[in-house]
Amino acid sequence: MEDAAGDLKQALPNVCDGIQIHVEVHQKSSSVAKKEDIRMSVLKLLNRHNIVFGDYKWTEFDDPFLNNNVQSVAIVDTELKLKERQPIDLSTSSLSLHIFHLNEEGPTSENLEEENEDITAAHHWVLPAGPPGTGKTSLCKALAQKLTIRLSYRYRYGQLIEINSHSLFSKWFSESGKLVTKMFQKIQELVDDRDALVFVLIDEVESLTAARSAFKAGTEPSDAIRVVNAVLTQIDQIKRYPNVVILTTSNITEKIDMAFVDRTDIKQYIGPPSTAAIFRIYLSCLEELMKCQIIYPRQQLLTLRELEMIGFIENNVSRLSLVLKEISRKSEGLGGRVLRKLPFLAHALYIQSPSVTMTTFLQALSLAVDKQFEEKKNLADCV
C-alpha cells in the first residue's frame, strides 16, 4: 500500500505537503471507546489514504473498530489553506484531529414569567448537536458547531442560546426591557461556567435593536427604546467574558441602531448561494437519497474539486456530476430553503416509482428547477 501511495505521489508532482489539516471525527453516540484509541485507528486510516484531493469524508470503513465506533471521518477546510487546487500529502502534513459526540437531545426552552404567563424567550442547545443548514441563521449555528469542535481542548462543551426576539416584546407597556434583562441574567449563569463556550444567537436582531432615531421624542421613552437600551447594556456586560460569542442576523440592516452596529466586530453579507454552494447542497441531498435507496443503484458522484482536477472532461465517471453542475448553475438565484426542498419536489412531481436511477432523478430535478423559476416569474407578474 505504501509503494502504491509513493507511485501516486510521483505521478502528481504538484502534491502539497507541510500544511496543517483539520480532521473532524464524529464518534457514534453509542460508542464508549476512548478518544485515544479512536485517534490511533483514524491515523492508521489516514496513513493508508495519504493523498487526498481537498475536503473528503469517510462514512464506511474496512476497520471493524471504526465501523463500530465512528460515524464519519472528514478532512475539512482545505480550501482555506490552499490557493491552488493541488492534491494534499497527509503523511507530511500536520494533522489536527477533533473527536466529538453529537448531542441528540434537541433544544430546551428558556421561559420567562410575566403576569402569570410563561413566555418562550429562547431555545437552548448543548453543542455540538447536529447538521447545519444553508441560511444566515444556520450559518451562525454552523459556526457555533465548528468552534465548539475546534476548541474542545479548551472548553468541554458548547451552549447555544437562540433568543426569540419577538417574544421579548411584552403586551404590557414598559415590561419588554425587563424581559430582556431577565433573559440575559439567565445567559450570565451559563457564561459563569468557564468549561462552556457560550453562543448567543439573536435572529432578526432589528426587532430588538431598532434605530432609536426613528422614534419621536416624548416625555417618556417608548417601550422599543427601553428594549434597545436594555440590549446594549446587557451586551456590554457579557462581552467582557472570554467564553462568550454573540451572533446576530438581519434582513433589514438599515433599521438597526448605530450604537449596536458600532459594537460589532465582524459584519458579513450573506448573499444567495453560489453555484459551488448549490452543488454541495444538491450533492448532500443526493447522497441521502442514495443511502435510503430512493435513488438506486448507488452512483459515484464527484465533488467540484475532483471535477476541476480532471479539467471537467466528460467520461463515464464524471458524466452525472457534470449534469449536476449544470443544474446547479441554472439554480443560481434560489434561496437555501428552496434548494433543500427541490429534490423532494422533483420526486413528488415527476417520479412515479419508489426507486429511481440517478440519471432519471437528475432529469426530474432539472424540471423542478425550471418549474420553480416559472412560478417565481408568474408571481412577479401578478404583483
Side-chain angles (χ1 to χ4, degrees), residues 131-145:
T134 56
K136 295 187 297 298
T137 304
S138 296
L139 283 172
C140 288
K141 292 178 180 177
L143 175 61
Q145 294 271 70

PDB file of all heavy atoms in Angstrom, residues 131-145:
ATOM      1  N   PRO A 131     -26.547  18.533  12.214  1.00  0.00           N
ATOM      2  CA  PRO A 131     -26.033  19.102  10.960  1.00  0.00           C
ATOM      3  C   PRO A 131     -26.513  20.523  10.724  1.00  0.00           C
ATOM      4  O   PRO A 131     -27.652  20.864  10.993  1.00  0.00           O
ATOM      5  CB  PRO A 131     -26.609  18.164   9.892  1.00  0.00           C
ATOM      6  CG  PRO A 131     -27.847  17.615  10.516  1.00  0.00           C
ATOM      7  CD  PRO A 131     -27.566  17.508  11.982  1.00  0.00           C
ATOM      8  N   PRO A 132     -25.624  21.386  10.204  1.00  0.00           N
ATOM      9  CA  PRO A 132     -26.020  22.741   9.878  1.00  0.00           C
ATOM     10  C   PRO A 132     -26.772  22.809   8.559  1.00  0.00           C
ATOM     11  O   PRO A 132     -26.757  21.865   7.777  1.00  0.00           O
ATOM     12  CB  PRO A 132     -24.685  23.475   9.765  1.00  0.00           C
ATOM     13  CG  PRO A 132     -23.754  22.410   9.293  1.00  0.00           C
ATOM     14  CD  PRO A 132     -24.209  21.133   9.969  1.00  0.00           C
ATOM     15  N   GLY A 133     -27.400  23.964   8.302  1.00  0.00           N
ATOM     16  CA  GLY A 133     -28.110  24.160   7.050  1.00  0.00           C
ATOM     17  C   GLY A 133     -27.410  25.164   6.173  1.00  0.00           C
ATOM     18  O   GLY A 133     -26.188  25.180   6.088  1.00  0.00           O
ATOM     19  N   THR A 134     -28.177  26.040   5.497  1.00  0.00           N
ATOM     20  CA  THR A 134     -27.549  26.897   4.499  1.00  0.00           C
ATOM     21  C   THR A 134     -27.885  28.374   4.637  1.00  0.00           C
ATOM     22  O   THR A 134     -27.286  29.196   3.956  1.00  0.00           O
ATOM     23  CB  THR A 134     -27.990  26.455   3.093  1.00  0.00           C
ATOM     24  OG1 THR A 134     -29.424  26.484   3.039  1.00  0.00           O
ATOM     25  CG2 THR A 134     -27.510  25.052   2.782  1.00  0.00           C
ATOM     26  N   GLY A 135     -28.840  28.786   5.482  1.00  0.00           N
ATOM     27  CA  GLY A 135     -29.226  30.183   5.589  1.00  0.00           C
ATOM     28  C   GLY A 135     -28.372  30.932   6.590  1.00  0.00           C
ATOM     29  O   GLY A 135     -27.421  30.405   7.164  1.00  0.00           O
ATOM     30  N   LYS A 136     -28.724  32.216   6.804  1.00  0.00           N
ATOM     31  CA  LYS A 136     -27.953  33.041   7.739  1.00  0.00           C
ATOM     32  C   LYS A 136     -27.970  32.456   9.142  1.00  0.00           C
ATOM     33  O   LYS A 136     -26.933  32.346   9.797  1.00  0.00           O
ATOM     34  CB  LYS A 136     -28.504  34.468   7.755  1.00  0.00           C
ATOM     35  CG  LYS A 136     -28.356  35.224   6.443  1.00  0.00           C
ATOM     36  CD  LYS A 136     -28.772  36.674   6.590  1.00  0.00           C
ATOM     37  CE  LYS A 136     -30.239  36.823   6.960  1.00  0.00           C
ATOM     38  NZ  LYS A 136     -31.165  36.288   5.947  1.00  0.00           N
ATOM     39  N   THR A 137     -29.165  32.092   9.610  1.00  0.00           N
ATOM     40  CA  THR A 137     -29.276  31.521  10.953  1.00  0.00           C
ATOM     41  C   THR A 137     -28.515  30.207  11.038  1.00  0.00           C
ATOM     42  O   THR A 137     -27.797  29.951  12.022  1.00  0.00           O
ATOM     43  CB  THR A 137     -30.751  31.300  11.314  1.00  0.00           C
ATOM     44  OG1 THR A 137     -31.455  32.540  11.193  1.00  0.00           O
ATOM     45  CG2 THR A 137     -30.893  30.786  12.734  1.00  0.00           C
ATOM     46  N   SER A 138     -28.655  29.384  10.024  1.00  0.00           N
ATOM     47  CA  SER A 138     -27.966  28.095  10.025  1.00  0.00           C
ATOM     48  C   SER A 138     -26.458  28.272   9.954  1.00  0.00           C
ATOM     49  O   SER A 138     -25.705  27.488  10.533  1.00  0.00           O
ATOM     50  CB  SER A 138     -28.444  27.230   8.850  1.00  0.00           C
ATOM     51  OG  SER A 138     -29.808  26.912   8.997  1.00  0.00           O
ATOM     52  N   LEU A 139     -25.998  29.304   9.238  1.00  0.00           N
ATOM     53  CA  LEU A 139     -24.560  29.574   9.199  1.00  0.00           C
ATOM     54  C   LEU A 139     -24.039  29.953  10.581  1.00  0.00           C
ATOM     55  O   LEU A 139     -22.943  29.546  10.974  1.00  0.00           O
ATOM     56  CB  LEU A 139     -24.259  30.691   8.196  1.00  0.00           C
ATOM     57  CG  LEU A 139     -24.279  30.294   6.720  1.00  0.00           C
ATOM     58  CD1 LEU A 139     -24.164  31.533   5.836  1.00  0.00           C
ATOM     59  CD2 LEU A 139     -23.154  29.327   6.401  1.00  0.00           C
ATOM     60  N   CYS A 140     -24.835  30.724  11.317  1.00  0.00           N
ATOM     61  CA  CYS A 140     -24.438  31.075  12.690  1.00  0.00           C
ATOM     62  C   CYS A 140     -24.358  29.821  13.555  1.00  0.00           C
ATOM     63  O   CYS A 140     -23.419  29.651  14.348  1.00  0.00           O
ATOM     64  CB  CYS A 140     -25.430  32.068  13.289  1.00  0.00           C
ATOM     65  SG  CYS A 140     -25.329  33.737  12.597  1.00  0.00           S
ATOM     66  N   LYS A 141     -25.358  28.931  13.406  1.00  0.00           N
ATOM     67  CA  LYS A 141     -25.348  27.688  14.176  1.00  0.00           C
ATOM     68  C   LYS A 141     -24.165  26.808  13.758  1.00  0.00           C
ATOM     69  O   LYS A 141     -23.539  26.145  14.590  1.00  0.00           O
ATOM     70  CB  LYS A 141     -26.658  26.943  13.982  1.00  0.00           C
ATOM     71  CG  LYS A 141     -27.861  27.649  14.603  1.00  0.00           C
ATOM     72  CD  LYS A 141     -29.152  26.895  14.350  1.00  0.00           C
ATOM     73  CE  LYS A 141     -30.341  27.613  14.970  1.00  0.00           C
ATOM     74  NZ  LYS A 141     -31.625  26.925  14.674  1.00  0.00           N
ATOM     75  N   ALA A 142     -23.870  26.806  12.454  1.00  0.00           N
ATOM     76  CA  ALA A 142     -22.728  26.025  11.974  1.00  0.00           C
ATOM     77  C   ALA A 142     -21.423  26.557  12.543  1.00  0.00           C
ATOM     78  O   ALA A 142     -20.520  25.796  12.908  1.00  0.00           O
ATOM     79  CB  ALA A 142     -22.688  26.050  10.440  1.00  0.00           C
ATOM     80  N   LEU A 143     -21.303  27.888  12.630  1.00  0.00           N
ATOM     81  CA  LEU A 143     -20.105  28.489  13.216  1.00  0.00           C
ATOM     82  C   LEU A 143     -19.969  28.085  14.678  1.00  0.00           C
ATOM     83  O   LEU A 143     -18.873  27.755  15.147  1.00  0.00           O
ATOM     84  CB  LEU A 143     -20.177  30.012  13.088  1.00  0.00           C
ATOM     85  CG  LEU A 143     -19.043  30.800  13.752  1.00  0.00           C
ATOM     86  CD1 LEU A 143     -17.699  30.427  13.144  1.00  0.00           C
ATOM     87  CD2 LEU A 143     -19.294  32.305  13.628  1.00  0.00           C
ATOM     88  N   ALA A 144     -21.092  28.091  15.397  1.00  0.00           N
ATOM     89  CA  ALA A 144     -21.067  27.664  16.798  1.00  0.00           C
ATOM     90  C   ALA A 144     -20.627  26.206  16.906  1.00  0.00           C
ATOM     91  O   ALA A 144     -19.827  25.846  17.783  1.00  0.00           O
ATOM     92  CB  ALA A 144     -22.444  27.856  17.427  1.00  0.00           C
ATOM     93  N   GLN A 145     -21.141  25.362  16.011  1.00  0.00           N
ATOM     94  CA  GLN A 145     -20.737  23.954  15.987  1.00  0.00           C
ATOM     95  C   GLN A 145     -19.236  23.824  15.750  1.00  0.00           C
ATOM     96  O   GLN A 145     -18.531  23.094  16.442  1.00  0.00           O
ATOM     97  CB  GLN A 145     -21.477  23.224  14.860  1.00  0.00           C
ATOM     98  CG  GLN A 145     -22.965  23.101  15.039  1.00  0.00           C
ATOM     99  CD  GLN A 145     -23.312  21.845  15.806  1.00  0.00           C
ATOM    100  OE1 GLN A 145     -23.037  21.756  16.992  1.00  0.00           O
ATOM    101  NE2 GLN A 145     -23.898  20.884  15.138  1.00  0.00           N
TER     102      GLN A 145
END
